[in-house]
């Protein structure tokens, strides 16, 4: 036949009712194995595939997962950790025929809420992945109201508002970074964080302070910045202008660390000779630059995979077996060395 | 009412048939303006939204656009030009309630074809965006066979297989880069390109050669690389080992340029004092590093926007007005300077 085959054609060829074909397609029970076989053979012979929209309408599944990124396009490409999370998500979603529906909504708060409302109202996704856990996060309540299945990548700001995935031994990477610096004779160590409305920003700064305290030290400086290159350049300018300037700086992400390191070198400060620099995340960027960046690696691909598994398990697509997320670890490259005056 | 409102509730409140509500929702004709108004008022009062799946089933529209990226996750995050294209796409799609369905399939050729087949068979998208135009591209034929609406970002390898978007004056950026180097006394200029199966790779290398020829010069070296940092490091090692080594190098993307520049400096070669380096694309990365990267800017956000408009116009969502894509232009920063021995 030249016209597109329909479910009725499949039913006729298989010698069953349309309802029976529908049951097979939607994985409903009450169909014998031989009947199921006949339906699948007929569907295959006629090259008939149920439309995703039709399946979705009947089964209330869309086979898509949503991700709303509240970032300006510029910041998104300067700090490509999203790309690694997405790679991890895709590696679990793709084999099961799930797609990732991406929305980049910019920094406007109402745009984010509108995006979630549209995903829910129009039933576009079976669940959403949240990133960048915020203090006082309003997304959990919004998504509960909307009835949307969600998983958070990161630590929730209060107990269990939604399922979440995170590495074990979350403090190990930053502790190792601090120990590495102190072992190399550094006593004046500064921290440049991102916006303090993020849960991880505050947590990591506390781990940093705690790790220094274990050596009877306190931070020489603690600067709250904004994750941008411009913010990092401003921060490093302030630190280096201080008469008692730090001999080492930890930054809250790799882009800030590279921008800060570059700004220091432009001011004539040798890295790591006069200033050691450590980043966070281990993005490919850190290996491209000279000196190569010492950093705290996060298993971003593993976090993406784990988040996808949680959603897929809640949708009954996979057994509940969790994906292991590797603990943060320190990666020593070229941007750290002995404190000045120490060999 | 506490239960979720249905199309029947809207029809009842508006005093029309369910079929009339459906026609309004699906933008079909045959409904008077006052009736349309009554339906929309009733829908708004009841806070009723048609389910995307239901609308899609009736109207055969999914309100999603697909993008299949055939890249390894690593390369994807090292070369984040996709993020800028996606930002451009989203800025046109989001306001119309369209989503972007992303698939990262890795380098395996069969995985790419399988992804397109699934998008088509399951009718998941109303169209797809293709990037990285290839010589002998088989995607056009595949998508025609599958009946999928497509737009290409870039220059097609042969005339008009699918609609495409590209900048005007496509050669201006690289010509300006070559002129800039020659004006600064460079006579031995090398080119490090990406894989030659890309249309743009071959095109840009020819523009480079042509621009040098206008100054009665030929490339000192022409290296075919693979867009990776490791490839760039290997290429620069070979160039610098040559007794008649170049005084300037153009790279086919910014990540390679930064990796090459870093490798040169690690070998003790001053940039730009002994070697000028130019990238391509103008990704945020180029501003983070020291020295900051001189590069050829591509309007990637504009290309994404233009591609989205072409698809939306073919779907009858917008009038055909095209988005202007800015021509490539040179951005002079710190990685280029006078040829050695010239002040």
């Amino acid at each position: 036949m030249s016209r597109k085959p329909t479910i009725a054609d499949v039913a006729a060829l298989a010698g069953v009712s349309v309802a029976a074909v529908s049951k097979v397609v939607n994985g409903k029970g009450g169909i014998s194995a031989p009947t199921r076989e006949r339906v699948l053979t007929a569907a295959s012979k006629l090259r008939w595939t149920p439309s995703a929209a039709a399946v979705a309408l009947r089964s209330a599944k869309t086979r898509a997962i949503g991700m709303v990124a509240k970032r300006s396009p510029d910041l998104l490409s300067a700090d490509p950790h999203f790309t690694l999370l997405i790679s991890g998500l895709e590696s679990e979603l793709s084999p099961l025929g799930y797609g990732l529906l991406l929305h980049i909504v910019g920094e406007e708060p109402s745009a984010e809420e509108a995006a979630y409302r549209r995903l829910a109202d129009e039933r576009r996704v079976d669940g959403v992945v949240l990133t960048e856990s915020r203090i006082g996060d309003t997304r959990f309540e919004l998504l509960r109201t909307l009835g949307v299945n969600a998983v958070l990548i990161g630590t929730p700001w209060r107990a269990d508002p939604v399922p979440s995935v995170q590495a074990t031994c979350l403090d190990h990477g930053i502790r190792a970074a601090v120990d590495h610096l102190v072992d190399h004779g550094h006593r004046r160590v500064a921290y440049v964080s991102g916006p303090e409305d993020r849960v991880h920003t505050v947590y990591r700064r506390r781990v940093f302070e705690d790790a220094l305290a274990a050596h009877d030290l306190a931070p020489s400086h603690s600067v709250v910045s904004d994750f941008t290159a411009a913010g990092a350049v401003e921060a490093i300018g302030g630190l280096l202008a201080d008469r008692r300037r730090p001999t080492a700086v930890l930054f809250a992400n790799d882009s800030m660390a590279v921008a800060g390191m570059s700004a220091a070198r432009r001011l004539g400060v040798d890295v790591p000779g006069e200033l050691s620099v450590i980043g966070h995340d281990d993005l490919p960027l850190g290996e491209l630059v000279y000196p190569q960046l010492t950093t705290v690696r996060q298993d971003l691909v593993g976090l993406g995979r784990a988040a996808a598994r949680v959603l897929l398990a809640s949708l009954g697509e996979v057994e509940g077996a969790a994906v292991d997320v590797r603990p943060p670890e320190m990666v020593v490259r070229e941007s750290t060395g002995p404190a000045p005056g120490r060999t």
Side-chain angles (χ1 to χ4, degrees), chain A:
Chain A
M1 76 191 77
S2 67
R3 66 180 175 83
K4 237 177 148 70
T6 67
I7 190 169
D9 299 325
V10 176
L13 184 62
V16 301
S17 68
V18 165
V21 177
S22 171
K23 277 181 185 169
V24 170
V25 165
N26 293 301
K28 297 276 168 61
I31 301 288
S32 72
T35 303
R36 192 169 174 283
E37 200 50 49
R38 277 217 309 285
V39 167
L40 293 177
T41 306
S44 165
K45 253 188 203 151
L46 296 173
R47 301 183 143 274
W48 175 80
T49 324
S51 115
V55 172
L57 189 65
R58 288 194 299 267
S59 71
K61 272 197 192 171
T62 64
R63 298 190 87 79
I65 298 299
M67 184 166 160
V68 177
K70 184 187 162 197
R71 287 255 185 155
S72 71
D74 272 11
L75 192 53
L76 199 66
S77 46
D79 180 17
H81 82 273
F82 278 112
T83 315
L84 290 169
L85 291 177
I86 288 171
S87 295
L89 288 164
E90 287 276 358
S91 71
E92 295 289 325
L93 296 177
S94 276
L96 293 169
Y98 273 73
L100 183 69
L101 194 64
L102 189 67
H103 285 279
I104 301 174
V105 297
E107 304 274 10
E108 178 86 42
S110 68
E112 182 182 48
E113 182 173 330
Y116 284 120
R117 284 192 182 278
R118 199 171 57 222
L119 288 177
D121 288 349
E122 300 177 0
R123 290 171 228 162
R124 288 184 172 279
V125 293
D126 299 330
V128 296
V129 176
L130 306 178
T131 65
E132 301 199 290
S133 182
R134 302 169 200 153
I135 293 169
D137 210 320
T138 56
R139 291 175 294 181
F140 309 137
E141 191 55 37
L142 173 65
L143 292 168
R144 190 171 15 240
T145 309
L146 295 173
V148 174
N149 202 4
V151 62
L152 172 71
I153 296 180
T155 311
W157 70 289
R158 58 175 191 195
D160 297 319
V162 291
S164 63
V165 294
Q166 49 200 306
T168 51
C169 311
L170 208 51
D171 60 335
H172 280 202
I174 292 172
R175 283 188 191 281
V178 168
D179 291 349
H180 167 77
L181 291 173
V182 173
D183 286 351
H184 280 75
H186 293 274
R187 294 293 174 268
R188 292 197 307 282
V189 183
Y191 192 73
V192 179
S193 72
E196 298 249 314
D197 60 344
R198 260 75 159 188
V199 173
H200 71 69
T201 309
V202 176
Y203 173 78
R204 289 179 196 163
R205 186 166 48 71
R206 285 191 190 148
V207 171
F208 167 73
E209 289 164 359
D210 197 52
L212 274 178
H215 297 281
D216 293 321
L217 294 170
S220 71
H221 305 76
S222 198
V223 184
V224 175
S225 188
D226 61 359
F227 284 140
T228 69
V233 171
E234 193 188 320
I236 203 84
L239 294 175
L240 293 176
D242 191 341
R243 201 170 49 82
R244 284 186 54 77
R245 72 192 202 190
T247 63
V249 187
L250 275 87
F251 286 89
N253 71 25
D254 286 344
S255 303
M256 282 205 293
V258 169
M261 178 164 82
S262 298
R265 303 186 68 228
R266 189 171 288 109
L267 292 168
V269 174
D270 184 49
V271 176
E274 296 172 87
L275 183 74
S276 284
V277 173
I278 300 183
H280 198 285
D281 287 352
D282 192 25
L283 300 183
L285 166 67
E287 283 195 282
L288 297 181
V289 295
Y290 176 73
Q292 288 188 328
L293 188 67
T294 296
T295 191
V296 175
R297 178 178 292 161
Q298 275 208 93
D299 184 9
L300 293 165
V301 171
L303 285 164
R305 290 188 57 207
R309 294 283 292 192
V310 169
L311 284 180
L312 291 168
S314 74
L315 294 167
E317 294 283 353
V318 295
E319 294 296 310
V323 171
D324 275 343
V325 179
R326 278 178 285 129
E329 57 177 326
M330 196 194 186
V331 183
V332 178
R333 297 203 184 99
E334 299 170 339
S335 65
T336 47
R342 195 174 133 137
T343 47

